[in-house]
Amino acid sequence: MNRIIFTGLFGLASFAAYAAPVVPESVIKDIDAGYGQRALTQLRPLVQQYPRDREVQYRYGSALVAGNKLDEAQTAMKAAIETDPNASELHRVLGEAYGAAAERASVFGMYSLAKAALAEFQTAVKLNPNDPDAHADLAAYYIEAPGVVGGSLDKAHEEEALLDKLAPLQALQTRASEAQQKKDWAGAERLLRQAIAIDKKPDSLTQLAMMQLRAEHGSDALATFKTITTRADAPASSWFYLARSVGVAHAAPADGIAALKHYIELPERPDMAPNLGWAHLRLGELYAQNNQKDLAAAEIELARKQPPADDSRFSSALDKAVALLK
């Protein structure tokens, strides 16, 4: 964000008092990598010191969403928008908070949250037609939302066409997401491989691996995750999903066991990554499949002590893992 600082007016002695804050690059990297909670420790003091600064508020909202603090994100972004109603990025982050909350809401709550997300994304695009992230969010909404709350593939295609000019990489990723929604796995892979060719980050490669896993192409997913985990910038969750692909591929469990051990031993994991309860549970399953029942029982007991919050699937998966020990 460009800022004009009137140093001549106040003099160097007063510069620190009037200079706009600079959000540390480490905070931005943490948010992008999904470490929202860690980013918040540095952002909260900035928010208190600079309550009207657009960049600080934008990064604060993004960190709250990354940290799964969705109610707090909604409250913070609504307040920020009241002081800066034309800040497109604030509307976009508020839309992301609404959208994430809609995915977790009851049927009745989902509709109002989804419509609120759509309104914020549309506002963001209107305020800044050149923001590719706003167009990508709006396109994703049109692709994933049911028609009753404004989903529309025709409108998604309009956003994709705009992304072709603004951000070709995001255009390819968005079209790949649409293909996956249609279960056009071959089309999605073709688009993602085009994206991988121009993507310096592991994002497109990770999307390909997750798509292969979703399509139950276990051997392909395993090979792709192995490629990802050789990178210095590999996402932490890659090791967890490498192990999941071992199960889908019905491959020898040794690779999955090693990957889960690595995942569990990491000093920290992104806020939205699978928690340690899931990791110990999956490791127990692999030990059981490898006929290492004692090790399996120990891991399943550790999983029982670290259940994820509000996850109804975990209890069922735990029962199935226990059954493997019999």
Side-chain angles (χ1 to χ4, degrees), residues 5 12-13 21 81 102 117 127 132 134 148 157 187 205 210 256 271 276 287 294 305 321:
I5 302 173
L12 291 176
I81 287 169
L127 289 171
V148 70
H157 296 160
L205 192 60
M210 292 301 292
D271 301 324
L276 286 177
Y287 276 136
D294 289 344
K305 295 176 180 178

Side-chain angles (χ1 to χ4, degrees), residues 47-66:
V47 169
Q48 293 178 357
Q49 188 175 1
Y50 303 97
R52 292 177 176 269
D53 185 85
R54 178 184 293 193
E55 177 74 3
V56 169
Q57 290 293 339
Y58 162 56
R59 299 299 182 183
Y60 181 55
S62 298
L64 288 169
V65 173

Side-chain angles (χ1 to χ4, degrees), residues 8-179:
L9 180 61
F10 299 109
L12 291 176
S14 300
F15 178 82
Y18 294 97
V22 176
V23 177
E25 186 66 26
S26 61
V27 169
I28 297 172
K29 289 181 178 179
D30 277 346
I31 295 170
D32 290 344
Y35 294 94
Q37 305 272 14
R38 189 166 69 191
L40 286 171
T41 61
Q42 295 188 66
L43 281 168
R44 290 193 192 280
L46 286 176
V47 169
Q48 293 178 357
Q49 188 175 1
Y50 303 97
R52 292 177 176 269
D53 185 85
R54 178 184 293 193
E55 177 74 3
V56 169
Q57 290 293 339
Y58 162 56
R59 299 299 182 183
Y60 181 55
S62 298
L64 288 169
V65 173
N68 200 32
K69 295 181 175 294
L70 303 179
D71 291 341
E72 193 176 344
Q74 292 171 38
T75 300
M77 291 302 94
K78 287 177 185 177
I81 287 169
E82 285 183 5
T83 64
D84 196 353
N86 293 322
S88 64
E89 61 268 44
L90 300 183
H91 287 280
R92 171 164 56 80
V93 172
L94 179 55
E96 291 171 356
Y98 281 139
E103 293 178 358
R104 298 162 174 76
S106 65
V107 174
F108 297 105
M110 182 269 288
Y111 287 108
S112 61
L113 287 166
K115 289 180 179 178
L118 175 59
E120 295 300 328
F121 293 147
Q122 290 173 331
T123 299
V125 166
K126 183 177 180 181
L127 289 171
N128 186 0
N130 294 319
D131 179 7
D133 291 332
H135 287 288
D137 276 349
L138 184 55
Y141 183 94
Y142 286 141
I143 291 167
E144 296 173 14
V148 70
V149 289
S152 167
L153 288 183
D154 287 340
K155 291 181 179 180
H157 296 160
E158 294 175 9
E159 297 302 317
E160 290 164 0
L162 291 168
L163 282 170
D164 282 333
K165 301 175 182 178
L166 293 171
L169 174 58
Q170 285 176 285
L172 288 166
Q173 292 172 336
T174 301
R175 286 194 170 94
S177 177
E178 180 185 340

Side-chain angles (χ1 to χ4, degrees), residues 204-219:
S204 298
L205 192 60
T206 301
Q207 290 177 35
L208 173 62
M210 292 301 292
M211 182 277 290
Q212 292 168 331
L213 190 56
R214 195 173 298 116
E216 298 188 352
H217 299 164
S219 296

